Amino acid sequence: MNQEDNKRLDVTIKSTSRDLLAFMKLSTSRKKRFEKASSEPITTDPMNELATKLHPIRQFLIIKSIKNETKSTKTFKLIPNKDLGTTELAYFRPGQYLSLKVNVNGTEITRPYSIASSPNDALKGFYELTIRKEEAGFLTSYIWDHWEVGTQIESSGPEGFFYFDRLRDSKQIVGIAGGSGITPFRSIAKAIIENTIDAKLTLLYGSSNEDDIIYYDELKALEKKYPEKFKIIYILSCEVVSLEGCEQGFITADIIRKHCNIDNSSIFLCGPQIMYNFVEKELEQFNLALRRIRREAFGEVKDVVGLPGYPQELAEKSFKMIVHMGELTEEIPALATESLIVAMERAKFAPPSKCRSGECGFCRSQLISGEVFVNPISDWRRAADKKYGYIHPCSSYPLSDIEIKVPKDQ
Ligand code: FES
């Protein structure tokens, strides 16, 4: 390789003779280490221990405090429940979520919630989850009525792929958040400020009105203190906007252009389906490579009827669903507009699930017979799974009577 080649590959070879010498000494030094090592059998496996710490199957937590953020939003501070065996919290990548498992009047359900605190906070011994009460929300109504300081919670380890990766992403991040989709960005912003991530975040945050803005004072204070690392722009869709420095309307291409240097950025989106539909159309104007746009899969689709390709004529129907799970076989009703996982949970099955949006594959099941509609926006199944009839019940909807074989939860 000549000097030109070296320059092109940006490789500097400092000393080949030193490397060669080190290599020649390798077997001698390894032999010495073997001789010094204990002859007792190794009873621990540090690699496995580390892997279990980082990826626990479940974590037992306890509510330490609750803070009201807005009229409909609360932040729950969770610490390890040592009595149930969780002595420390799993570290995570900012943007990841926890899947909570909650028993609501005998029905076991799971929901993913983004971790709103930073990885450093996990090392200090706590996570924060900010949860918005949904209108007629089955789980959130239960949480509002029952969760208090001292309540015990069960969660998964940190999960999900919505995080900054320095090998893939630009150091300039444009975050686009809608409503409670702000929560992973709080974690990312804090991680940037704490130097866990070497990046800069410009955040466009859309809300319907001032009262719905979450973390207003906190994020404004961060922006003021660390302007070189974090900037936030509020966009309110209500008619009258009195908050200083807010944009009025929606997150359009013009607003993105006005506040961000999109050409050098990676774009991270998190919010409700309606925001994705709008913002993704606006982003088309920038002709960005797909890999530059990351999108949080944020739980189940609320309105399957509005998805492309959904057969509208079946929307009112209810079907029969035969479920095999372990030794159990049962026939249950399944509404056409409801995911198979919801139908099973209502019938008091506890199928495995984490992301509830077709992404993690944890609920992967075999469709023995019948037809389902698979949400085309979140169909991340492998080609072989599609070919051999495997589906993700969290993002599949019945189009006929069906029979399904579901794995048991661990
Ligand atoms: S729960 Fe993640 S794919 Fe179904």
Side-chain angles (χ1 to χ4, degrees), residues 341 352-363 392 394:
I341 215 149
S353 66
K354 280 184 185 168
C355 70
R356 299 182 78 93
S357 51
E359 184 190 68
C360 72
F362 201 62
C363 63
H392 295 159
C394 65

Side-chain angles (χ1 to χ4, degrees), residues 325-360:
M325 186 193 263
E327 302 301 300
L328 209 63
T329 293
E330 209 175 295
E331 184 183 296
I332 62 171
L335 300 179
T337 48
E338 209 169 61
S339 73
L340 302 181
I341 215 149
V342 170
M344 287 189 275
E345 286 172 344
R346 182 171 298 114
K348 308 242 185 286
F349 279 91
S353 66
K354 280 184 185 168
C355 70
R356 299 182 78 93
S357 51
E359 184 190 68
C360 72

Side-chain angles (χ1 to χ4, degrees), residues 6 18 24 90 109 157 194-195 260-261 280 320 380 402 406:
N6 268 349
R18 212 164 51 195
M24 282 160 68
I109 53 177
E194 290 164 359
N195 295 321
C260 317
N261 177 5
E280 281 172 352
K320 285 186 215 141
W380 284 294
I402 66 166
V406 184

Side-chain angles (χ1 to χ4, degrees), residues 134-367:
E134 292 164 24
E135 269 174 50
F138 183 52
L139 179 61
T140 53
S141 300
Y142 178 87
I143 289 175
W144 253 241
D145 292 345
H146 293 87
W147 281 16
E148 54 191 22
V149 172
T151 298
Q152 300 184 348
I153 313 279
E154 184 182 332
S155 85
S156 66
E159 299 282 344
F161 306 100
F162 187 70
Y163 50 72
F164 170 79
D165 186 324
R166 70 193 169 89
L167 295 179
R168 178 196 58 211
D169 300 316
S170 159
K171 282 186 176 185
Q172 170 63 54
I173 303 171
V174 170
I176 299 182
S180 56
I182 187 74
T183 51
F185 291 112
R186 181 185 186 242
S187 180
I188 293 170
K190 289 182 97 176
I192 289 173
I193 283 156
E194 290 164 359
N195 295 321
T196 309
I197 300 178
D198 180 17
K200 178 180 176 184
L201 173 64
T202 303
L203 185 54
L204 303 171
Y205 178 22
S207 303
S208 38
N209 58 58
E210 287 174 28
D211 292 344
D212 279 343
I213 298 176
I214 309 172
Y215 315 131
Y216 181 79
D217 291 338
E218 184 186 341
L219 294 185
K220 268 284 170 207
L222 284 189
E223 181 187 41
K224 199 166 169 204
K225 201 162 170 198
Y226 304 96
E228 73 293 351
K229 293 187 170 188
F230 177 59
K231 176 177 156 192
I232 184 161
I233 300 99
Y234 294 93
I235 300 104
L236 299 179
S237 58
C238 52
E239 292 293 313
V240 183
V241 171
S242 56
L243 207 59
E244 201 189 326
C246 278
E247 295 278 3
Q248 195 271 329
F250 296 97
I251 305 174
T252 58
D254 283 344
I255 286 191
I256 297 171
R257 212 174 276 118
K258 180 173 165 190
H259 295 283
C260 317
N261 177 5
I262 202 97
D263 290 337
N264 298 321
S265 304
S266 287
I267 322 294
F268 281 63
L269 303 175
C270 184
Q273 186 61 43
I274 192 164
M275 183 197 92
Y276 290 141
N277 296 349
F278 183 84
V279 172
E280 281 172 352
K281 272 229 149 348
E282 295 295 306
L283 284 174
E284 281 172 12
Q285 296 187 25
F286 298 99
N287 282 325
L288 299 172
L290 271 183
R291 71 186 153 76
R292 291 191 38 209
I293 304 176
R294 304 205 61 75
R295 178 188 202 274
E296 174 62 319
F298 212 49
E300 273 170 58
V301 166
K302 300 275 181 313
D303 176 26
V304 65
V305 181
L307 288 176
Y310 184 84
Q312 308 287 326
E313 66 282 4
L314 296 182
E316 304 287 313
K317 293 244 177 212
S318 173
F319 298 104
K320 285 186 215 141
M321 175 172 167
I322 298 172
V323 182
H324 304 278
M325 186 193 263
E327 302 301 300
L328 209 63
T329 293
E330 209 175 295
E331 184 183 296
I332 62 171
L335 300 179
T337 48
E338 209 169 61
S339 73
L340 302 181
I341 215 149
V342 170
M344 287 189 275
E345 286 172 344
R346 182 171 298 114
K348 308 242 185 286
F349 279 91
S353 66
K354 280 184 185 168
C355 70
R356 299 182 78 93
S357 51
E359 184 190 68
C360 72
F362 201 62
C363 63
R364 178 177 175 271
S365 302
Q366 188 184 1
L367 181 66

